[in-house]
Amino acid sequence: MTAPVIKTVGVPTEVKTAEHRVALTPDGVRELDARGIQVRIQAGAGVGASIMDEDYIAAGATIVPTAADAWAQEMVLKVKEPKAEEFQYLREDLTLFTYLHLAAYPAVAEALLAAKTTSVAYETVQLADGTLPLLAPMSEVAGRLAPQMGAHFLERHKGGRGVLMGGVPGVSPAKVVVLGAGNVGWSSAVIAAGMEAEVTVLDKNLERLRYVDQIHKGRISTLASNQGSIERTVMEADLVIGAVLVAGGRAPIVVSDELVRQMKPRAVIVDVAVDQGGCIATTRETTHDEPVFELHGVVHYAVGNMPGAVPHTSTYALTNATLPFQLQVALGGAVGAARMNPALAHGLNTVNGVYTNEIVAASLDATAVSPFEA
């Protein structure tokens, strides 16, 4: 067995507000340990996801008492971007593998560059067919959560219109508009339709709309996305779910401030794209502790880490997808693994103080260099 390039991996407790996911499961620990990679997990890191320290120890991990201990390892696995209080742990000989969304968090980008940290972003690891394998599981979770959250805040005592998603015999169901037919949008539409709402999905990609239509055979309406179709459907909607994604870049604004003003009073917006800046002009990032705000008479839900609401499910779904790539990075080093796997080359965001992903760099008004020349 080839000796790993990265011999120690740290998993700190997440510090983002109400973020209870953890970046590695005991099964993931077992796979790393089998390859001679030592895993050190901060005490209690998995408790929020219903994974106990004893579970990690049984799989071969060492429990360390502080965040500093976890961050001191050669590679750190996280779920969310480092917060300001974690910038002190960034350093030149560190590889950080996590969701970064640097287009939405320029301060994180600056901290990574200043520390010359090698960073790999889950959300920009991209296969040859354009799919994003490490974003997909959390997109599916967020998409399935979005109608659930929307239904909750449509209740009158939560500030909404007082509309039941499925209606009842003789009373119309809620009108749900989903902007985008990717993993988030499709998952949202499936759940909303399952709740018996009247669902319309909009997307510019007609092939994607054909796919949705073939699968759901009329239960979900599809529309080509353009300014007119967006305006007509959003103004009539009880719930609007924003699910527009640009890999590595800032989400485009598809619903203007003026259009939000024309929505039904106490309608609800769930902007799942908020962790990439949001696709609704009026949204700003919220937290699980304070998930909504009202603007122009419309309730806005814009939590930046939606899957954190169901951390047990999310943690296992995330590790299922990320573990093979984490193993490649540990065994070959970030740049070495990127030479072997082009998907990981897309995932590299910063190396040696420079940007190495063109889309991320462009979204931050900067230029990128090849990770193999950084």
Side-chain angles (χ1 to χ4, degrees):
M1 183 175 65
T2 302
V5 172
I6 292 173
K7 298 179 175 62
T8 63
V9 168
V11 180
T13 301
E14 297 295 321
V15 297
K16 188 160 188 168
T17 302
E19 178 55 76
H20 299 296
R21 288 174 290 179
V22 62
L24 198 64
T25 63
D27 285 344
V29 170
R30 197 178 302 276
E31 293 294 321
L32 290 164
D33 183 65
R35 290 160 176 81
I37 302 162
Q38 299 175 40
V39 182
R40 290 161 185 160
I41 296 180
Q42 185 179 350
V47 170
S50 302
I51 304 173
M52 301 298 108
D53 288 349
E54 293 76 14
D55 300 324
Y56 286 120
I57 293 169
T62 299
I63 302 300
V64 295
T66 68
D69 294 319
W71 277 94
Q73 310 313 312
E74 296 172 65
M75 180 163 74
V76 165
L77 305 179
K78 276 179 51 62
V79 177
K80 294 303 293 180
E81 73 285 344
K83 302 289 287 182
E85 61 264 38
E86 296 175 303
F87 291 173
Q88 62 182 309
Y89 302 127
L90 301 177
R91 60 186 195 277
E92 188 172 354
D93 61 346
L94 170 68
T95 297
L96 175 63
F97 204 167
T98 187
Y99 285 116
L100 286 171
H101 297 293
L102 296 184
Y105 301 112
V108 177
E110 292 171 6
L112 289 168
L113 293 185
K116 295 187 175 181
T117 298
T118 297
S119 67
V120 190
Y122 296 147
E123 76 276 3
T124 63
V125 172
Q126 188 169 9
L127 302 180
D129 63 1
T131 57
L132 305 170
L134 308 191
L135 188 63
M138 294 303 93
S139 295
E140 290 162 352
V141 171
R144 289 173 180 236
L145 273 173
Q148 183 175 313
M149 297 303 178
H152 182 60
F153 288 102
L154 271 173
E155 296 174 11
R156 186 65 185 89
H157 68 286
K158 290 294 182 180
R161 290 177 48 73
V163 175
L164 182 65
M165 285 283 274
V168 292
V171 181
S172 297
K175 292 184 177 181
V176 177
V177 172
V178 181
L179 303 172
N183 283 328
V184 171
W186 183 73
S187 297
S188 294
V190 168
I191 297 303
M195 298 172 81
E196 300 188 353
E198 179 184 318
V199 184
T200 302
V201 178
L202 292 86
D203 200 289
K204 291 183 176 181
N205 186 334
L206 296 183
E207 285 303 315
R208 188 65 184 174
L209 294 181
R210 288 190 181 99
Y211 172 77
V212 173
D213 192 61
Q214 288 168 0
I215 295 296
H216 296 286
K217 302 186 184 303
R219 290 181 60 236
I220 297 172
S221 299
T222 59
L223 283 177
S225 180
N226 55 56
Q227 186 172 343
S229 61
I230 291 172
E231 288 178 356
R232 288 190 295 273
T233 54
V234 167
M235 283 192 291
E236 295 181 358
D238 298 298
L239 170 62
V240 173
I241 297 173
V244 180
L245 169 72
V246 174
R250 194 198 186 288
I253 300 296
V254 296
V255 176
S256 67
D257 182 283
E258 180 58 31
L259 182 53
V260 173
R261 291 176 185 270
Q262 297 177 65
M263 290 179 67
K264 293 177 180 178
R266 297 189 301 277
V268 174
I269 288 171
V270 177
D271 194 346
V272 186
V274 70
D275 59 4
Q276 290 188 262
C279 63
I280 314 290
T282 47
T283 55
R284 56 174 172 79
E285 187 172 355
T286 60
T287 68
H288 288 292
D289 288 346
E290 296 183 18
V292 297
F293 63 91
E294 184 179 316
L295 184 62
H296 305 327
V298 175
V299 178
H300 293 63
Y301 177 100
V303 175
N305 56 329
M306 284 181 65
V310 284
H312 184 80
T313 297
S314 297
T315 290
Y316 279 87
L318 181 61
T319 294
N320 288 345
T322 57
L323 182 60
F325 293 91
Q326 292 164 350
L327 286 168
Q328 289 177 42
V329 172
L331 293 172
V335 175
R339 290 185 187 277
M340 299 294 294
N341 185 348
L344 277 169
H346 290 293
L348 276 168
N349 280 201
T350 64
V351 176
N352 198 29
V354 296
Y355 294 113
T356 52
N357 180 291
E358 292 183 1
I359 296 175
V360 170
S363 71
L364 294 164
D365 297 321
T367 56
V369 302
S370 167
F372 313 121
E373 299 173 0

